[in-house]
Amino acid sequence: MPLTHDDWKRRAATLETDGRAWIAGRRCPAAGGATLDSINPMTDAPVAAIAACEATDVDRAVSAARAAFVAGDWARAEPAERRRVMLAIAGEIRAHAEELALLDSLESGKCILEALDDAEEAAVLFDWYGEVQDKAYDRVAPSPAGVQATITHEPLGVVGAVVPWNYPLHNSAVKLAPALAAGNSLVLKPAEESSLSALRLAELCQAAGLPDGVLNVVPGHGHLAGEALGRHDNVDALGFTGSTEIGKRFLVYAGESNMKPVWLECGGKSPLLIFDDCPDLEAAVDAAVAGIFTHAGQVCSAHSRLLLQDGIHEAFLAALDARLETLVPGDPLDPATRLGPLVSRAQFDRVRGYLAIGKQEATLHRGGETLTAAGGELFIAPTVFTGVTPEHRLFREEIFGPVLAVSRFADEAEGVALANDSRYGLAASLWTADLGRAHRLCDTLQAGTVTVNGVDAVSPQTPFGGMKESGIGRDYELAGMHKYMALKTRWIHY
């Protein structure tokens, strides 16, 4: 039987948390003894004291990861053994899904049903990359007589991973599962706002059989622990998910240290184009709501630009208004809640600033105010601005909140031009009954993923990542694993 609101509140009241770092297979405080508080955005009260790791701790974690890689218990393990452990990690995540979801909900304000979905998606990633272990093959290249040329993938060594606060468990799995599948050791730096599920995941990986030192977790402030990891000369590659601004810093850190490859999944300002031949208006409205108001809009690929063709503009907005009447804010621990608070006071203030900008630039169609719900103060009403043009900041800047910017277009060419008029290129979606148009726009939209008659489709079977300033490289699929591996060519004369 699904847990009720009261069930979740009781579990929250008795939940045990441990914010200490995870290095070389055990919990430990930061070397300097410093801590930081993770704050529940619903209550403004601390959830736990988190180890505030700094360069010394990062160095210890990198050394532990390097020692584990050299020892080879994971890096040179038989594919069947790595498969067994990866699948066991997936099993541990599922067995502790409610605990992990509760940690994410308490720290980030994520609705509990969304957090449960994140736990299952994390388990699926370990399943998928676990199954790859004994099914991926290297290549034999065409070569002259008397020569055999082979092309193999080998683990890089020590991989650093830095993940944001909006999908704490899921983003950790997005980085860890492929890098572990490649045979690497890792040092993971979670966001200071939401570290607990990543730390707990490290314990579950150990319980599943991952050797000590292969995975290390160093929480702390980004400018201390994150920068130290990015600049570390003994880190062979780094994967980052977060803002474009911080992603650019990691490129600088790599350039000023050992030229490690840096794989970035950064910001977005994703367009959702609705053509006047939309085959299912109600489904498209549901997609638009999910595309921007999931997790209160705090999603890198949020479809925050709604582009409506002239012939459907009024009908779509009317249907959208009716749908948004049901999107009532509430306690994230209530399974009925579909709109939670923003993650922090700082993010709340940032989004409020954009509300003020939007009221000056465009037409406020609905929302635009702050709310309180269930005792929480960090809620923003689902907000829709119309009459947004490319000259407006609402059109260009990533807000990371429940704010939808609506623009009109007359024909396909204008719609594509508006969609592509962005420094970002993470995702794009469109609704049309014209199969030819669907194929044309899949070719012309500048985005790493284009979804037709849906929104923001993601799967372990397909790569995910951005063009332009939305990032470098891809997560998911074999591309997500191979970026943490080196290609080696062997020429054998016989």
Side-chain angles (χ1 to χ4, degrees), residues 13-82:
T14 59
L15 182 66
E16 295 184 2
T17 60
D18 189 342
R20 293 178 296 166
W22 179 266
I23 299 175
R26 65 180 182 88
R27 292 280 195 167
C28 57
T35 62
L36 59 92
D37 287 334
S38 68
I39 303 297
N40 184 336
M42 275 300 295
T43 64
D44 203 35
V47 179
I50 307 297
C53 294
E54 299 185 22
T56 299
D57 306 288
V58 170
D59 193 57
R60 290 166 53 212
V62 171
S63 295
R66 179 63 65 189
F69 182 74
V70 171
D73 292 343
W74 181 253
R76 295 191 295 276
E78 294 291 334
E81 172 61 11
R82 286 216 296 260

Side-chain angles (χ1 to χ4, degrees), residues 177-434:
L180 287 173
N184 297 290
S185 296
L186 286 109
V187 179
L188 170 67
K189 193 279 176 190
E192 47 263 49
E193 296 89 347
S194 52
S195 302
L196 291 174
S197 62
L199 290 164
R200 185 71 179 105
L201 177 59
E203 292 182 322
L204 298 179
C205 288
Q206 183 188 61
L210 191 69
D212 291 350
V214 173
L215 171 59
N216 306 270
V217 183
V218 286
H221 295 288
H223 67 282
L224 296 174
E227 181 173 345
L229 189 58
R231 291 186 179 278
H232 206 290
D233 286 326
N234 205 18
V235 171
D236 299 299
L238 189 134
F240 169 83
T241 295
S243 71
T244 295
E245 175 190 3
I246 302 302
K248 290 178 179 180
R249 292 188 194 178
F250 277 98
L251 293 174
V252 173
Y253 301 157
E256 292 179 347
S257 57
N258 63 342
M259 290 180 59
K260 64 179 71 62
V262 177
W263 305 111
L264 303 174
E265 194 260 277
C266 295
K269 193 72 178 176
S270 301
L272 171 58
L273 296 93
I274 311 294
F275 288 89
D276 56 16
D277 66 346
C278 172
D280 189 333
L281 179 65
E282 292 301 321
V285 168
D286 286 342
V289 171
I292 180 57
F293 297 116
T294 295
H295 198 15
Q298 300 169 121
V299 182
C300 57
S301 56
H303 282 57
S304 55
R305 291 187 295 145
L306 177 61
L307 310 181
L308 299 175
Q309 194 167 18
D310 288 335
I312 204 170
H313 183 270
E314 283 72 23
F316 196 94
L317 286 180
L320 179 64
D321 284 338
R323 177 68 176 78
L324 290 181
E325 290 296 328
T326 68
L327 202 62
V328 180
D331 184 351
L333 296 183
D334 185 347
T337 296
R338 296 297 181 270
L339 183 69
L342 298 192
V343 69
S344 66
R345 177 70 61 179
Q347 185 64 15
F348 176 77
D349 290 342
R350 182 177 187 273
V351 176
R352 282 200 308 169
Y354 276 104
L355 297 181
I357 291 168
K359 290 171 185 177
Q360 295 176 345
E361 289 184 335
T363 299
L364 178 62
H365 179 75
R366 67 176 297 130
E369 72 271 8
T370 62
L371 304 171
T372 59
E377 299 179 350
L378 302 185
F379 289 87
I380 301 287
T383 297
V384 179
F385 287 100
T386 58
V388 179
T389 71
E391 291 72 34
H392 295 157
R393 291 178 65 183
L394 287 182
F395 187 91
R396 300 215 163 270
E397 298 178 15
E398 185 179 37
I399 297 172
F400 229 61
V403 181
L404 182 62
V406 181
S407 305
R408 300 178 72 136
F409 65 93
D411 54 27
E412 181 179 312
E414 184 182 12
V416 170
L418 285 171
N420 286 340
D421 189 4
S422 174
R423 68 188 181 112
Y424 298 111
L426 188 53
S429 299
L430 66 132
W431 284 72
T432 182
D434 186 333

